[in-house]
Amino acid sequence: MKVIEQEQKAKVRYKINGQQYETEVEPRRLLVHVLRELGFTGVHIGCDTSHCGACTIIMDGKSVKSCTILGVEADGSEILTIEGLAQGEKLHPIQEAFWEKHGLQCGYCTPGMIMQSYWLLKNNPNPSEEEIKEGISGNLCRCTGYQNIIDAIKLAAERMKGQ
Amino acid sequence: MPSYTPVDFDYHSPTSIEETIELLSSKEEPVILAGGQSLMTLLKLRILRPKNVIDIGKIPSLRNVVEEEGELRIGATATHVTIASSPLIGSKCGLLSSSAKTVADVQVRNRGTIGGSVSLADPSANYLPVLAALDATIVVQGPRGTRKISSKDFFIDAYTTELAKDEVVKEVRIKYNKNMGYSFKKVVRREQEYAVVNVAAVVSLDEDGRIREAKVGVGGLSGKPIKIRELEETLVGKTAEAIESAVSSLDFKVRPISDVRATGDFRVYLARIYLKRALKEAYANARGAMV
């Protein structure tokens, strides 16, 4: 059993976007804060109350809201953030589709939207419009640009079929 | 930048249920962290200010979903997505899978747990009318041993359960019958919102298409989920035609919740409509299963 006392920092390890990281966190620190401090500022803080999904990441293969997980709780896990999607200069098909279909207005919700779309398409490569809507229902776009986001996910699904 | 951060606490990650109980008894102001999808928000808003957080997410045996002695035994930290996608639960108790599929949103379902949901006992939670309808058993463990509590006794009022401070929910047990038609319906204003009212109905038929047994649960109407025995009894021996009038004349015998989401009268109004729809759908499914 692991015990970490308050204000005492614990060593935690994560594998983020394929690379090992080791850092120290207090028990009360949220994973989203820890990730941002490690430089992954694509993980956004939106509502901070588990509603908006801007902080969505893939943790151990599942999409989760990183503002609703403790840094210590995630110790030892494998994490994928928006920074890990592109292959060098080559954008991920979902990123390209969001760009082409104008799936963003202010762009604040975009990293979370894309990470959630990534999980959605991984689990359902050929989603219907209803399934897309349900799949991103945990992500809010305050610009209300949902129509183009849905179009972008459809286009990404189309392009990823061949891969 | 201002941000919501919980108050300072000591973090414990026990590897067994015995260690968990030891911690619950010995530590000051403890809370249990399972999936954290409700707890973390309560911590961030500082509605809860615990001195000790006990993370039971690292106890593998608590995540198991098994079938034993004719009942489903679902570990406390089985997530909603596990419950929604488990072939065993799907084939044995489709009603539970169906309720798990519409808990909040995908990210929450990927972390949130059934044990967390029943321990919190939010009146709008999806599982509650299902567990009430099916007379599920909540197994809890504490320093005085294990207790098996029926959902009728477990849920006392909104956010209030029979669980003692030094106990932890270990398992949810559900007895099921084959060839039953079922339906779960949830009234929400927006997709990821809490339910205003939710209903669970299960129906089994005899060879002539008459109702042999009906099980009905309603959540969100009052502080705790209710099983409507009066309606269950009225429907025995009847066909789908009887549903309309039986539900219309039903007296719920509860003081309905009136809050920001809906007034009490509106909740009763909605409960009737959705009970009718759920029962008719469950009946049609049971008929379909006979053919």
Side-chain angles (χ1 to χ4, degrees), chain A residues 139-158:
Chain A
N139 295 69
L140 303 181
C141 167
R142 293 319 304 266
C143 309
T144 68
Y146 294 104
Q147 200 50 60
N148 288 354
I149 292 171
I150 292 164
D151 289 345
I153 299 171
K154 281 184 190 162
L155 179 66
E158 203 57 46

Side-chain angles (χ1 to χ4, degrees), chain A residues 1-7 26 28 30 48 50 56 63 65 67-68 73 116 119 134 137-139, chain B residues 4 6 8-13 19 36 40-41 44 46 55 58 105-107 109-111 192:
Chain A
M1 178 175 59
K2 192 163 62 183
V3 183
I4 307 160
E5 285 176 15
Q6 57 185 60
E7 290 172 51
E26 275 176 67
R28 66 175 182 150
L30 307 174
D48 236 334
S50 328
T56 299
S63 66
K65 294 179 181 176
C67 78
T68 309
E73 205 185 338
Q116 183 54 25
W119 193 86
E134 206 283 322
S137 69
N139 295 69
Chain B
Y4 298 91
D8 271 319
F9 52 75
D10 292 355
Y11 170 86
H12 311 264
S13 62
E19 271 182 5
M40 286 303 299
T41 302
K44 282 189 282 180
R46 303 199 176 184
D55 179 6
K58 312 282 190 287
D105 55 54
V106 179
Q107 290 99 316
R109 291 198 289 277
N110 277 337
R111 294 285 298 170
Q192 57 159 205

Side-chain angles (χ1 to χ4, degrees), chain B residues 46-234:
Chain B
R46 303 199 176 184
I47 292 168
L48 289 180
R49 297 164 165 265
K51 291 215 165 72
N52 290 278
V53 170
I54 305 169
D55 179 6
I56 58 168
K58 312 282 190 287
I59 309 174
S61 62
L62 274 183
R63 274 179 237 144
N64 294 345
V65 175
V66 294
E67 183 187 15
E68 240 174 88
E69 295 169 28
E71 58 182 11
L72 279 174
R73 296 184 176 175
I74 302 158
T77 57
T79 59
H80 309 314
V81 78
T82 301
I83 293 169
S85 59
S86 152
L88 176 65
I89 299 176
S91 66
K92 301 295 185 186
C93 187
L95 178 64
L96 187 72
S97 323
S98 147
S99 69
K101 275 180 192 135
T102 56
V103 174
D105 55 54
V106 179
Q107 290 99 316
V108 171
R109 291 198 289 277
N110 277 337
R111 294 285 298 170
T113 67
I114 190 167
S117 178
V118 301
S119 305
L120 181 66
D122 186 298
S124 301
N126 280 24
Y127 293 129
L128 272 47
V130 175
L131 302 182
L134 298 177
D135 264 329
T137 302
I138 321 290
V139 183
V140 307
Q141 197 171 325
R144 296 165 302 281
T146 302
R147 293 199 289 156
K148 298 187 185 90
I149 311 168
S150 76
S151 50
K152 181 167 84 54
D153 299 325
F154 184 83
F155 298 107
I156 295 171
D157 204 343
Y159 310 106
T160 312
T161 68
E162 176 59 27
L163 189 70
K165 279 209 162 71
D166 53 3
E167 288 177 320
V168 58
V169 171
K170 194 180 167 187
E171 208 170 69
V172 174
R173 296 185 179 181
I174 296 175
K175 279 210 165 60
Y176 49 85
N177 290 321
K178 275 193 178 156
N179 303 324
M180 283 188 132
Y182 64 85
S183 174
F184 173 80
K185 300 224 176 272
K186 170 179 178 179
V187 190
V188 278
R189 301 177 92 93
R190 280 189 311 123
E191 184 78 37
Q192 57 159 205
E193 280 253 351
Y194 279 100
V196 177
V197 163
N198 49 21
V199 300
V202 181
V203 167
S204 70
L205 306 177
D206 63 19
E207 297 78 18
D208 306 324
R210 288 177 194 285
I211 296 172
R212 178 184 289 143
E213 195 183 14
K215 296 173 188 238
V216 185
V218 180
L221 197 57
S222 60
K224 63 172 177 177
I226 48 173
K227 180 173 172 69
I228 312 183
R229 290 178 200 276
E230 186 193 323
L231 180 62
E232 293 176 350
E233 283 159 21
T234 312

